[in-house]
Amino acid sequence: MPIAQLPAAASTSRSATSGTVPPRSSARLVDGDLVIGGVPATRLAARFGTPCQVVDEAEVRRRVRAFREVLPEAEVVFAGKSLPCRAVYGWMASEGLSLDVCSAGELAVARSVGFPAERVVLHDNVKIAEDLKAALAYGVGRIVVDSFDEIAQLGALAGPGQRVMVRVTPGVDAHTHRAIATGVEDQKFGFSLASGAALEAVRCVLEQPGLRLAGLHCHIGSQVRRVAAYEEAVRRMVGLIAAVRSSHGVEVAELDLGGGFAVPYLPGEDTFDLVGFAHRLRVALNYECAAHRVPVPRVLVEPGRSLVANAGVTLYRVITVKRGVSRTFVAVDGGMSDNPRPALYGARYAVRVVGRPTPLRRAPATVVGRHCEAGDVLAEDVSLPADIHAGDLLAVPVTGAYHHALASNYNLVGRPPIVGVLNGETRLLVRRETEEDLLRRDM
Ligand code: LLP
């Protein structure tokens, strides 16, 4: 499936309408402006102000369809935490996806758009009573249990037949950032496969009259680049499925392999090989199931980032340019409150000036935010036009996932809006946070 691409950060004053270098997205350069979903960035900034997060609906839908096409036999569950807002949950519902929520709050958003309850999956290592009660009241299709306490608590609360999955820590290293590596042993998520806790958790679920074992779940991490890590997870999880059958006499019907499929953030970075993943997943699953003589379970996958990240672009206005001793700091009107990912994970972004002709001469610069910390850096050592100045408009692509979700109002800076674009039309999906919003909770 051809996906139009955002050109590399190389900028010229001539008109460009196409490019060949990822990060992949539907955004295109036209006469120095960045056209996202048919709408020029300059027009979006003028109408909605900056910083402003733009999400291209067609791009999200294209990615969802590509995913479903490649894995038609799997249930695709959107990881709602990556971009939690009503419009996006609505798009996912209309595309036939299921939805992973990990709190009563995310569930409230799902409920408010009438997301079909049977297609909602509740997650997380801690679910407080309100989360469980809200999920049960809404009748969510599956709850992924993550601790022995939770199994007991849920067993006491649930009516008969609540379907649950057991979250397993398979001991697979996905070679991603430590903060988002969730498949390795000795951490807060899931029941360890190696220690036998996972098998014991299945036994506890089977003992609860209110609960029905739907299947097993694992999520090895996020921004995972290697298909081999998923193959290893399949191998181990099928081993557990076989152990469940021999120990408890139960066939496991569903295997949820979580999400984590990496996206390119910078020009030159690879795209996750989704087609290769689908193929190797089938081969591994069929082989392992045959070897263990267990039926092939129905597969679920939970992509978040790979469906929405590249559909998002954030626009900032340059407020000042400061020439330091050895570096040039380009300071913008947003920062770590709308994007803490560089500070949290060392994430890197491409940045470009849009909306004006730029000279060929470029210079290294560090794009920093407005917050009262030296670590408030959005993009370190990027190449920008040498004449960058206050008032310039900057576009930062690949900001659709875990930006709105992770945003804070640090320094009591209101969070930016999300503007949906589709075929030249704009729609305000989430409005900018106002001072009134900020004062409302402060009694
Ligand atoms: N399923 C489960 C159980 C998860 O915990 C997650 C993400 C996903 C699916 C979706 O993963 P994805 O396909 O989006 O990689 N804030 C971090 C990412 C945290 C991911 C948390 N769990 C970041 O900005 O990189």
Side-chain angles (χ1 to χ4, degrees), residues 79 81-82 100 123 167 180 217 219 222-223 258-261 302-305 341 345 402 406:
K81 71 203 81 177
S82 60
D100 135 18
H123 272 287
R167 167 91 181 235
I180 49 177
H217 176 283
H219 170 72
S222 198
Q223 191 61 0
F261 316 104
E302 301 174 338
R305 191 191 312 265
R341 298 194 69 259
Y345 320 111
Y402 305 110
L406 291 179

Side-chain angles (χ1 to χ4, degrees), residues 48-96:
F48 298 99
T50 52
C52 172
Q53 193 188 340
V54 185
V55 177
D56 181 351
E57 179 178 341
E59 182 67 21
V60 172
R61 290 188 186 271
R62 229 186 335 268
R63 283 167 185 275
V64 168
R65 288 170 197 173
F67 220 101
R68 297 197 71 188
E69 213 175 285
V70 164
L71 272 174
E73 74 274 39
E75 180 171 339
V76 181
V77 184
F78 173 57
K81 71 203 81 177
S82 60
L83 184 49
C85 78
R86 294 198 228 213
V88 175
Y89 285 11
W91 303 341
M92 299 304 178
S94 70
E95 292 290 335

Side-chain angles (χ1 to χ4, degrees), residues 103-105 107 122 127-136 153 157:
S103 67
L107 181 62
L122 177 69
K127 302 173 196 76
I128 59 171
E130 283 77 3
D131 300 325
L132 292 175
K133 284 180 187 159
L136 293 172
Q153 193 186 4
L157 288 171

Side-chain angles (χ1 to χ4, degrees), residues 1 39 63 86 107 147 167 176 352 394 400:
M1 189 200 65
V39 188
R63 283 167 185 275
R86 294 198 228 213
L107 181 62
S147 69
R167 167 91 181 235
T176 184
R352 67 176 312 136
L394 296 188

